[in-house]
Amino acid sequence: MRITCVGGGPAGLYFALLMKKADPAHVVRVLERNRAGDTFGWGVVLSDQTVDALREADPETAAQISDAFNHWDDIAVHIGGRTIVSGGHGFCGIGRKKLLNILQARCEQLGVELVYEADVPDDAEIDADLIIAADGLNSRIRQKYAATYQPDVDLRQCRFVWLGTTRLFDAFTFDFQPTEWGWFQAHAYRFDATHSTFIVEAPEAVWRAAGLEDMSKEEGIAFCEKLFAKVLDGHPLISNAGHLRGSAQWIRFPRVVCKTWVHHNGRAPVVLMGDAAHTAHFSIGSGTKLALEDAIDLARDIQAHDDLADALKAYEATRSVEVLRIQNAARNSTEWFENVERHARLAPEQFAYSLLTRSQRISHENLRLRDARYVGEFERWLAGRSGVDAQVPPMFTPFQLRGLRLKNRVAVSPMAQYSCVDGVPGDYHLAHLGARALGGAGLVFAEMTCVSPDARITPGCPGLWSDAQGAAWQRIVDFVHANGSAAIAMQLGHAGPKGSTCVPWRGGEDQPLPSGNWPLLAASEQQYLPGTSQVAHAMTRADMDRVRDDFVAAAKRAATAGFDWLELHCAHGYLLSSFISPLTNQRADAYGGSLDNRLRYPLEVFTALREVWPADRPMSVRISAHDWVPGGTTPEDAVAIAAAFKDAGADLIDVSSGQVSKAQKPVYGRMYQTPFAESIRNRVGIATMAVGAISEADHVNSIIASGRADLCAIARPHLANPAWTLTEAARIGYAGPIGLAWPRQYLSGKSQLEREFERQRSAGVAAAEQANKALGV
């Protein structure tokens, strides 16, 4: 096979040597536009996992690379005059030039043809059976075949400069410096015996305000030396980008995502590799890792398939999934560094923890495996902030809001059950909510409860418009209070344009009733399901007064019933949400138009409830932080919405998203709504509850520990297992007693459950030790 690699970076060189090693009969050449000795940038980082993959693919190259490595386990975070160190992270640093030299020498040893100063604008003149486009993030080949590859290039919000220094760092070091213009941060690590990489980064607006746009290259470097003088300890910063002038050394990171990686030009397939196909932000050190792993996987797939087309299909299928996983982690990390200002409002201990877990690749328990000492000290510090002098997993620390002290940070989400008759909760609700109140959670929510008959979603929804309903709810509240230590919350809402629909299992979700419909109200006339749903009519002032008074009457009944907490539902396209979202509010009066106007009526209802709800009991508001539809509510709007409710007296924002429009296109994923809760919490300064795709104790611990939210609402896992909290405590090996109370009737099952999970953990540790021994680790 005749193979040509366009681009002599790590991807092109490593693929070339692997293919030549696999079959010396292959004719392999690499075309590089720079000279043999040219290189830009300083050190690069590889994880221990990538090094293992290199050893398996080509032990000779791996040995040379390993000999040149500077290895470290510690991450040091400098913030506010403090240095916080965590160990066990396992990274290797190597000079980019050294890495390229090793790969070049190995290519020459195997017989790969290396052609330097070969400027290849496209593939038109290349005669080969396979063309590898490894020509970097500004790939001209990718641009030529953009219609096939469909690249999405997103320039991120920070400017950064890649420098070097003679200061030798013992740990991967993050240094954060406040200035009059905003925050700057440095990412620094040693990569050889004489030098360290030193990347300086700041948001675009901060960079411009500091005047760096107008500085010469030398002035910009002097600015950074002065700003980071303490951590540099007298050592200079050095640039090796001699081809750049002025502020051109400061760039915005381009995140590259391609829909496909293979183009068939009629002569030879053209395959993207490395930065030409994808980029991952330097803050997780994965650009070179991905490039090398691309080369490994494609070489392996070609050897495993007789047909080249099949091999390329396998490569694209497997690598695209793995790269997407890394890019998702990189996106999380990138956004964290773009928003240092709000994270810096955390205490240094929590700031450092937040940084360590920013990508979501490192969870709380994973961090404990890396450095149990660090996590233990952090857990004790965090528990102390809640008045507890003990080491406690974050999810089991107590939480105080007004006069209510929750035993832990787990909440059972309000989950529609559609099982009431005339709005009256019966034995089913007593069993349903009672079981979950005994299951270990600190707070249990009743499902959205409607303030009038025409406020219901379905005929099976609960209500609080009558004293009979109030008495039925009091029976449930009394049971919860008498038989456990959980608090119970009432969520009040009005279905608005999403009302008068079938119970899901009797006619389909959101489908209108075949008969017996009631009139619907909304901010503006609308149909939730165009052409299908009943038309909701725009509310008049008289309608607003009546509905507000219905909410007040229901809140009074909830207080009388003894609920510990009240939540107002302003999300998911229901009545109050229909005022907030610009997708559903088309009013031309004082209740439409600007966000302030759209919030006017929901705030009016909230204020009326706060006046009648007992002052010592908390009130929260559920909002949709993102409509996931162009022109709808955005996460930035959510910050303003939360601030408005905070000013009106809200104690916590329950942060959900979507369900306002069927046109929504959410980006789902693990804990995918938590970033909205974190943004509101740390920008507005109000407690938040995170919801959505939170399913493990590890998720809850990570969210609470990093200051991303104060409570976590768990829905589907609690439907599957009412005792989810007790089960997860046993799973992570926490036996209490702080934040965890087993019902005495269930204690005989506690030790058996704990023993079973202990056996599973021990088996997992033994398997990991066996795998490490096999790898020689």
Side-chain angles (χ1 to χ4, degrees), residues 344-661:
R345 298 171 190 175
L346 302 170
E349 291 85 352
Q350 199 163 36
F351 177 91
Y353 181 98
S354 177
L355 184 152
L356 292 170
T357 58
R358 68 194 180 279
S359 71
Q360 296 184 21
R361 289 197 302 171
I362 298 178
S363 67
H364 191 73
E365 291 307 314
N366 182 268
L367 195 55
R368 193 192 307 277
L369 287 174
R370 294 168 183 242
D371 191 341
R373 176 206 57 80
Y374 165 78
V375 171
E377 291 178 357
F378 175 79
E379 286 182 338
R380 183 174 289 277
W381 171 85
L382 189 67
R385 289 166 66 89
S386 298
V388 174
D389 184 18
Q391 181 183 337
V392 182
M395 67 185 287
F396 293 110
T397 56
F399 179 62
Q400 183 84 30
L401 213 55
R402 293 198 182 234
L404 179 65
R405 186 170 176 84
L406 301 178
K407 65 183 177 183
N408 62 46
R409 306 303 185 101
V410 179
V412 177
S413 294
M415 295 174 285
Q417 300 297 294
Y418 309 113
S419 299
C420 288
V421 178
D422 296 327
V424 178
D427 290 346
Y428 172 82
H429 288 82
L430 177 64
H432 168 69
L433 293 171
R436 282 144 188 87
L438 295 174
L443 180 65
V444 176
F445 273 89
E447 65 194 275
M448 186 181 93
T449 299
C450 306
V451 298
S452 60
D454 64 344
R456 291 174 295 167
I457 309 168
T458 76
C461 290
L464 250 181
W465 65 79
S466 74
D467 290 342
Q469 293 162 348
W473 280 117
Q474 183 170 345
R475 174 179 174 236
I476 295 169
V477 171
D478 288 347
F479 177 90
V480 170
H481 288 161
N483 291 279
S485 52
I488 184 166
M490 166 55 64
Q491 185 189 71
L492 291 179
H494 190 301
K498 297 175 74 172
S500 194
T501 62
C502 297
V503 170
W505 52 83
R506 292 179 184 162
E509 188 174 7
D510 296 324
Q511 296 301 312
L513 292 169
S515 62
N517 287 281
W518 52 84
L520 301 183
L521 296 172
S524 303
E525 184 173 296
Q526 63 171 287
Q527 281 184 301
Y528 179 63
L529 297 178
T532 301
S533 295
Q534 184 181 340
V535 176
H537 297 287
M539 292 181 77
T540 65
R541 182 63 250 185
D543 292 328
M544 293 183 195
D545 292 341
R546 177 180 65 83
V547 170
R548 179 201 61 213
D549 293 345
D550 288 342
F551 269 100
V552 169
K556 290 178 178 178
R557 289 190 178 95
T560 300
F563 281 97
D564 303 295
W565 181 302
L566 182 66
E567 178 162 286
L568 179 63
H569 202 319
C570 294
H572 299 169
Y574 296 130
L575 181 66
L576 297 180
S577 170
S578 77
F579 276 86
I580 296 173
S581 174
L583 297 175
T584 51
N585 186 338
Q586 304 299 318
R587 299 177 73 100
D589 60 6
Y591 295 93
S594 69
L595 179 58
D596 287 344
N597 283 358
R598 300 197 309 271
L599 278 168
R600 191 183 303 271
Y601 183 60
L603 288 170
E604 181 181 317
V605 173
F606 178 86
T607 301
L609 295 188
R610 184 72 267 182
E611 289 176 355
V612 300
W613 186 247
D616 63 337
R617 302 186 206 177
M619 275 190 68
S620 59
V621 181
R622 170 165 278 206
I623 68 170
S624 287
H626 197 329
D627 286 345
W628 302 106
V629 177
T633 299
T634 67
E636 281 300 306
D637 293 329
V639 173
I641 293 166
F645 279 110
K646 177 188 177 185
D647 291 343
D651 302 299
L652 179 143
I653 305 297
D654 181 356
V655 188
S656 186
S657 71
Q659 302 182 53
V660 172
S661 168

Side-chain angles (χ1 to χ4, degrees), residues 19 21 198 241 255 257 264 274 296 421 473 501-502 523 542 637 710:
M19 291 303 297
K21 176 188 175 186
F198 201 93
R255 186 226 56 187
V257 178
H264 297 277
I296 291 171
V421 178
W473 280 117
T501 62
C502 297
D637 293 329
D710 299 276

Side-chain angles (χ1 to χ4, degrees), residues 116-163:
Y116 297 101
E117 299 183 72
D119 188 29
V120 183
D122 59 33
D123 63 314
E125 303 300 322
I126 297 175
D127 183 19
D129 301 309
L130 175 65
I131 300 170
I132 302 300
D135 51 342
L137 60 88
N138 295 314
S139 168
R140 289 183 286 183
I141 294 177
R142 184 187 68 218
Q143 184 177 357
K144 178 180 179 180
Y145 298 122
T148 297
Y149 299 129
Q150 300 180 54
D152 176 12
V153 181
D154 176 24
L155 284 177
R156 298 306 307 176
Q157 298 174 20
C158 285
R159 291 271 182 173
F160 73 94
V161 59
W162 197 358
L163 302 171

